[in-house]
Amino acid sequence: MYRRLLQSAMRNIINASASRVTFGKALEQEACLGRALIACRLLASTSPSQTQCRTLHSTSQLFNVKETPQTAMEEEVGAFTKLIEAMGFTGPLKYNKWKIKIAALRMYTCCVERINYDEFFEKCSLPDTLNSWFLVAQLHVWICLVRIRQEGREGKYMCRYIVHSMWEDVEQRSKIMGIDAIHRKESMRAMTETFYAAIFGYDEGILSDDGVLAAALWRNMFNRQCEDPRQLELMVEYVRKQMQFIDALDGEDLLLTGEVNWRPLLEDNAQSILKVPTPTYNDAGL
């Protein structure tokens, strides 16, 4: 009982001191504003030929800074979700997590099985090795990551499992090829560094002009060993049209199915996606 009385008394003392400090600061601010206003008026009266100072506006009303309104595409997240995600866990998502995981695996499979790697090796003069296969695969994985990251928290969750599926596949392929554990570990470390460096380079290139994108492709995919500018031109055109094609796909379908159909490397009319298809009419005009 006495402890409660002491605690309440201490709270009253702290609140009273805090209010006095706040009131004192307010008086000091009003005094400073008053002195500045008097100085400006004196300056204006003593030197009328010079430009007069603007009058200061003082008010005791307090204004609160409004938070930036969220866009329509941004999802509102509760405090509990933010807390558990800050601890490294994944909060509740709009779609089932297992469906997103399966879609992520299917999307990575599209990056591996629906790409003609022999055509890339031939047109880009790349050796038929595991590293060349990885360089082509990581380019298509990056294209998928760029598109899926636009789908909010569900897209970020799916991106993690796309990358996880890629590393699992690379490790299994290296085991099948008979690479021993020591060299496999060194290769995985080098591929990890290459992958994240390529992501930064490709992100910069896709947001910049074709010259920056060509430089990123020359550093990462061609490993600084491309002497034919037509090969760089072909790959820049390929990345641009693939990015435009995958951006046109429905985000919900990608999150639930993960199906991606790639455009071919060589096309007669690479800019066809930019043109709106003209309607066809029969003889009756219908």
Side-chain angles (χ1 to χ4, degrees), residues 148-149 151-161 255:
I148 293 300
R149 279 198 297 252
E151 300 302 322
R153 296 171 55 249
E154 292 78 9
K156 294 179 181 179
Y157 183 79
M158 186 173 179
C159 286
R160 283 162 37 191
Y161 282 92
L255 288 173

Side-chain angles (χ1 to χ4, degrees), residues 110-276:
C110 293
C111 296
V112 175
E113 295 184 352
R114 296 185 180 180
I115 301 297
N116 189 354
Y117 285 88
D118 294 333
E119 186 179 14
F120 277 90
F121 295 161
E122 179 184 356
K123 298 300 181 181
C124 299
S125 301
L126 299 175
D128 189 0
T129 60
L130 178 63
N131 185 61
S132 298
W133 170 88
F134 174 73
L135 295 177
V136 178
Q138 76 172 1
L139 176 65
H140 294 84
V141 169
W142 165 75
I143 294 175
C144 292
L145 295 180
V146 173
R147 177 62 184 88
I148 293 300
R149 279 198 297 252
Q150 303 175 20
E151 300 302 322
R153 296 171 55 249
E154 292 78 9
K156 294 179 181 179
Y157 183 79
M158 186 173 179
C159 286
R160 283 162 37 191
Y161 282 92
I162 293 175
V163 177
H164 176 75
S165 301
M166 180 186 69
W167 293 126
E168 290 288 336
D169 185 30
V170 171
E171 187 174 5
Q172 292 297 324
R173 289 174 183 269
S174 60
K175 289 181 180 179
I176 293 174
M177 294 182 64
I179 302 176
D180 58 279
I182 297 176
H183 290 85
R184 184 168 62 248
K185 185 177 181 180
E186 295 176 355
S187 300
M188 291 290 294
R189 185 184 299 111
M191 288 181 178
T192 303
E193 295 176 357
T194 302
F195 176 70
Y196 289 106
I199 284 181
F200 285 110
Y202 291 152
D203 285 343
E204 181 185 10
I206 202 64
L207 295 175
S208 305
D209 55 7
D210 291 342
V212 180
L213 180 57
L217 290 167
W218 177 75
R219 289 192 310 269
N220 297 285
M221 182 174 174
F222 291 93
N223 200 15
R224 305 173 185 265
Q225 296 179 359
C226 179
E227 299 179 356
D228 190 353
R230 292 174 297 181
Q231 295 177 350
L232 283 174
E233 181 184 5
L234 175 64
M235 289 308 303
V236 168
E237 177 185 320
Y238 178 79
V239 172
R240 294 289 187 190
K241 70 181 182 182
Q242 292 292 4
M243 289 297 301
Q244 189 180 28
F245 176 72
I246 198 172
D247 280 341
L249 300 180
D250 183 70
E252 184 177 359
D253 292 339
L254 291 175
L255 288 173
L256 295 178
T257 63
E259 291 288 338
V260 178
N261 293 314
W262 302 99
R263 300 186 69 183
L265 178 61
L266 298 176
E267 287 184 295
D268 296 333
N269 185 14
Q271 300 295 328
S272 60
I273 191 174
L274 296 174
K275 299 178 181 179
V276 179

Side-chain angles (χ1 to χ4, degrees), residues 93-109:
L93 301 176
K94 184 167 58 174
Y95 304 109
N96 186 276
K97 294 180 180 180
W98 284 107
K99 290 183 178 180
I100 297 178
K101 290 180 181 180
I102 295 173
L105 179 59
R106 188 179 292 115
M107 181 170 288
Y108 173 72
T109 304

